[in-house]
């Protein structure tokens, strides 16, 4: 089964700083990759997903992620964060065995 | 308003009691899932169901049971055999349960067992 590793447990940034959250997975087959976000007091919701085509995918609220197959990575980026981006971010991988795996999550705190 | 509802939001039980968490969806999704979320461990899959009257164990099914008698409902029972039941439980659904499907999540139930 696949596994997912998120490198940072807690990231603290000031507003307007650039963001990159790391996500690496281990799986030898075809992967479908997701980033979910959980804002304080809200449901988990999808930020973006990749399953084929252009490895640079754009999601909601200015987020993007790049799939680098050779590095087994799917890092999440945003050029300029806002206070409202404070949330917990989860990377998830689903292989062709349809066995979704989530990372441990990264808590992002954006200071105004 | 389509979505997933979980009730109750907070649940307290004494050790040794079984407890059932409710999950209902009106999205007409075929697949439904139960996850457990613990701090620093992300989401771990307990059970999932891709069709009515069928379900499969996830990574941490021991001490839990489910049923899927109706498409819209997927209740989870936390039995007294679950060694560490205090956690945040999330229910999710997806259209057909395919590998490319996005999952839609409910608000969660926080269970405390003392």
């Amino acid at each position: 089964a696949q596994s997912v590793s998120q490198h940072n447990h807690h990231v603290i940034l000031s507003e307007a700083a650039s963001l990159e959250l790391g996500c690496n997975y281990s799986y030898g087959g075809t992967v479908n990759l997701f980033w979910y976000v959980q804002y304080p007091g809200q449901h988990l919701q999808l930020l973006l997903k990749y399953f084929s085509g252009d490895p640079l995918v754009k999601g909601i609220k200015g987020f993007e992620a790049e799939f680098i197959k050779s590095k087994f990575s799917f890092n999440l980026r945003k050029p300029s964060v806002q206070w409202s981006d404070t949330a917990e971010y989860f990377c998830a991988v689903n292989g062709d065995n349809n066995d979704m795996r989530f990372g441990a999550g990264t808590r992002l705190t954006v200071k105004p | 308003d389509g979505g997933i509802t979980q009730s109750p939001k907070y649940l307290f039980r004494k050790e040794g009691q079984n407890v059932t968490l409710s999950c209902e969806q009106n999205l007409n999704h075929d697949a439904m899932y139960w996850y457990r979320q613990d701090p620093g461990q992300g989401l771990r899959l307990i059970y999932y169901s891709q069709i009515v009257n069928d379900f499969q164990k996830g990574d941490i099914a021991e001490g839990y049971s489910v049923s899927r008698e109706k498409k819209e409902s997927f209740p989870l029972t936390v039995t007294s055999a679950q060694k560490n039941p205090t956690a945040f439980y999330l229910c999710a659904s997806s259209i057909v349960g395919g590998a490319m499907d996005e999952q839609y999540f409910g608000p969660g139930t926080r269970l405390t067992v003392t």
Side-chain angles (χ1 to χ4, degrees):
Chain A
Q2 56 269 34
S3 64
V4 182
S5 174
Q6 291 184 241
H7 315 299
N8 311 102
H9 294 299
H10 191 191
V11 172
I12 303 172
L13 295 172
S14 297
E15 273 195 316
S18 64
L19 170 72
E20 181 159 3
L21 301 182
C23 173
N24 284 90
Y25 66 90
S26 65
Y27 185 68
T30 303
V31 290
N32 303 286
L33 300 157
F34 306 80
W35 274 98
Y36 285 86
V37 61
Q38 191 172 32
Y39 296 105
Q42 295 188 28
H43 303 194
L44 261 166
Q45 58 185 281
L46 184 72
L47 262 184
L48 48 79
K49 66 178 179 181
Y50 169 83
F51 49 83
S52 67
D54 188 344
L56 183 64
V57 291
K58 295 193 184 300
I60 60 171
K61 305 189 181 187
F63 286 91
E64 64 179 32
E66 185 175 14
F67 171 49
I68 303 180
K69 191 174 180 180
S70 61
K71 294 186 178 180
F72 297 90
S73 71
F74 190 56
N75 292 355
L76 181 71
R77 301 195 292 245
K78 186 170 184 179
S80 174
V81 293
Q82 302 171 312
W83 176 79
S84 58
D85 293 324
T86 294
E88 189 153 18
Y89 294 81
F90 294 91
C91 181
V93 175
N94 205 357
D96 47 21
N97 55 1
N98 198 16
D99 191 10
M100 181 85 92
R101 288 286 187 275
F102 285 81
T106 296
R107 185 175 301 279
L108 172 66
T109 301
V110 180
K111 298 186 292 186
Chain B
D1 206 12
I4 300 176
T5 55
Q6 291 185 245
S7 61
K9 190 172 179 180
Y10 299 97
L11 192 52
F12 298 87
R13 279 293 182 270
K14 294 287 187 190
E15 206 172 300
Q17 293 179 334
N18 292 354
V19 59
T20 297
L21 281 59
S22 165
C23 177
E24 304 276 331
Q25 55 101 356
N26 61 4
L27 299 167
N28 201 31
H29 286 175
D30 284 330
M32 295 186 75
Y33 310 81
W34 273 105
Y35 292 92
R36 173 181 169 137
Q37 186 178 8
D38 295 285
Q41 296 195 54
L43 279 68
R44 291 181 291 165
L45 184 65
I46 304 172
Y47 268 98
Y48 67 101
S49 166
Q50 291 185 292
I51 197 167
V52 173
N53 292 323
D54 189 36
F55 47 83
Q56 284 77 43
K57 293 181 180 180
D59 294 328
I60 56 165
E62 188 175 342
Y64 299 97
S65 66
V66 293
S67 63
R68 187 89 187 275
E69 296 174 4
K70 298 186 294 182
K71 186 175 184 177
E72 59 270 23
S73 177
F74 192 40
L76 173 75
T77 297
V78 185
T79 75
S80 56
Q82 168 47 234
K83 292 185 173 57
N84 186 18
T86 294
F88 189 57
Y89 291 88
L90 284 168
C91 179
S93 71
S94 65
I95 295 174
V96 294
M100 294 185 289
D101 283 355
E102 169 189 353
Q103 293 186 11
Y104 294 79
F105 287 84
T109 291
R110 188 168 297 281
L111 173 65
T112 303
V113 176
T114 57

